[in-house]
Amino acid sequence: MYQCPHCGKSAITVLRKTLLGPGVPVACRSCGNPVKITYPDWLKAALPGAAVMIGALFLDSEVLVYGVSLIGLGLMIGLHLLWVPLVKA
C-alpha cells in the first residue's frame, strides 16, 4: 500500500499504483481525497524501460528481443512503483 499525501494512511494498492497514469486521479481508500501521479515523475520512471525495449528491436534473435523486452517492461513497472510518488490532486 502507498501512503496518501492528504492523510498519511494507506491510499492505494500495488496493482492500482501499477495501472495509475498521470491523467486520472483516484480516491484514497482511507480519506476519499483524490491522489495522482505527476507526468514528469511518470516519464522519468518510464523512459529507462522504454529505452531497453527500443534497444531490443535491434537484436538479431527473436528470443532475445522478447527476453530483453520483458526486462524493459519489468524495469518500467519496478521504477514506477519505486520512484513515482503520490501527490495531492
Side-chain angles (χ1 to χ4, degrees):
M1 297 291 277
Y2 292 88
Q3 284 190 340
C4 173
H6 296 282
C7 66
K9 296 179 182 174
S10 296
I12 59 174
T13 63
V14 172
L15 179 61
R16 184 71 175 157
K17 173 98 185 280
T18 302
L19 301 174
L20 184 62
V24 181
V26 297
C28 169
R29 295 176 88 186
S30 299
C31 68
N33 287 321
V35 296
K36 66 176 187 169
I37 60 174
T38 62
Y39 184 75
D41 288 331
W42 174 81
L43 191 61
K44 285 187 267 186
L47 282 178
V52 169
M53 294 171 93
I54 290 169
L57 296 174
F58 296 100
L59 299 174
D60 292 332
S61 167
E62 284 188 26
V63 174
L64 281 176
V65 169
Y66 290 122
V68 173
S69 293
L70 285 174
I71 291 170
L73 179 62
L75 184 63
M76 288 176 79
I77 293 170
L79 292 178
H80 179 76
L81 292 174
L82 294 173
W83 283 359
V84 180
L86 293 176
V87 296
K88 296 177 182 179

